[in-house]
Amino acid sequence: MSRSALTAPNKAQRGIAALLLIILALTGCGVVGRTSLKTVQLAVKGAPDVQPTAAEVGAKPYPQIKVSGPNGGALLVLGNIDAGRQAWYSSERSIVFLQDGLLVGTHGGTPELQQMWIEGANPFHALHTLQGTVTVQRRYDLMPGYRYGVAVTGTLERLGAEPVDILGKVRTLVHVRETLRGTQWKGENHYWVDPASGFIWKSQQMIAPGTHLDITQLKPYSLDLQRR
């Protein structure tokens, strides 16, 4: 994965068109308007939570995710895909970047994950086939503090099948825990994975020491669901 800065979604022509669609999508969604959702930063630091219904999500044609922090949540829509990296925008143009279901960057909040990448083999391409424990080598670029190339080791372990309710539909998903260890870094990521395809429907992922985001796929990008 390239270490270039996460600025691809701001490319001139595609970026302007994408943002116009996103603004229309979000301002037209009743649940967003009612709660005056702000940004990913507010999801981390405190904002009213959002509880969209299946009907509200289904009424919009755009792929949608919910991103939550300890004190609130926000609804984001897919605005751009660049070499497999998805840019999901909030109504205030904060961005969460996902690739293979992994949180690889954020923009518009503090702390800010400028980039995360995997060194070596990437088990997230087929997380549903995980057996035993698998070690993952991660690197993080973080702000503030200009912390670049922070090394973190993740240890993945399959915990078993669990029921997960998303918009009133209960799915039986595989729960995978990732224990993270590095200099001044200790914590866990959690993933709830489709047992047939490896698609990550729900996750809790750290963006910096002491800070994580919960991500739930409400209306996935259709090509993600088709991969096997």
Side-chain angles (χ1 to χ4, degrees):
M1 181 176 174
S2 169
R3 292 191 55 189
S4 60
L6 299 178
T7 56
N10 294 322
K11 292 177 181 178
Q13 295 178 343
R14 287 188 301 170
I16 292 172
L19 284 174
L20 286 173
L21 286 173
I22 290 158
I23 292 168
L24 287 172
L26 289 172
T27 55
C29 182
V31 68
V32 174
R34 286 198 303 271
T35 56
S36 299
L37 294 175
K38 294 298 183 180
T39 64
V40 175
Q41 182 172 10
L42 288 179
V44 174
K45 292 192 173 182
D49 197 6
V50 55
Q51 299 293 341
T53 66
E56 288 170 325
V57 171
K60 297 299 175 183
Y62 316 100
Q64 299 161 61
I65 62 175
K66 179 182 174 181
V67 177
S68 303
N71 300 306
L75 193 66
L76 286 73
V77 298
L78 181 61
N80 189 58
I81 301 175
D82 185 2
R85 184 181 62 197
Q86 301 172 348
W88 297 81
Y89 288 78
S90 77
S91 59
E92 296 292 326
R93 302 186 187 181
S94 288
I95 313 170
V96 165
F97 297 94
L98 299 179
Q99 188 156 12
D100 298 316
L102 288 183
L103 181 56
V104 296
T106 64
H107 175 76
T110 302
E112 181 173 285
L113 173 58
Q114 293 194 330
Q115 183 162 274
M116 187 287 296
W117 67 100
I118 303 289
E119 292 186 331
N122 187 346
F124 292 95
H125 293 156
L127 199 55
H128 59 309
T129 65
L130 181 72
Q131 298 295 329
T133 59
V134 174
T135 299
V136 180
Q137 301 299 330
R138 294 169 169 262
R139 294 278 182 173
Y140 290 80
D141 290 347
L142 303 167
M143 289 292 286
Y146 302 98
R147 293 167 286 174
Y148 296 129
V150 176
V152 176
T153 299
T155 302
L156 291 163
E157 179 183 10
R158 185 184 182 118
L159 298 183
E162 295 179 5
V164 176
D165 187 322
I166 300 176
L167 295 178
K169 182 175 182 177
V170 177
R171 303 175 184 273
T172 300
L173 304 176
V174 176
H175 184 188
V176 176
R177 176 176 62 200
E178 182 182 14
T179 304
L180 300 174
R181 296 292 183 268
T183 303
Q184 297 183 338
W185 196 304
K186 182 178 180 181
E188 294 181 348
N189 290 340
H190 293 266
Y191 312 91
W192 287 267
V193 182
D194 190 298
S197 67
F199 178 72
I200 299 173
W201 278 96
K202 185 176 179 179
S203 64
Q204 181 183 99
Q205 302 186 50
M206 296 184 70
I207 61 173
T211 304
H212 70 267
L213 294 177
D214 295 336
I215 302 169
T216 303
Q217 293 277 350
L218 302 181
K219 188 173 186 178
Y221 176 52
S222 59
L223 292 182
D224 286 345
L225 295 178
Q226 294 173 13
R227 75 182 188 208
R228 290 292 185 269

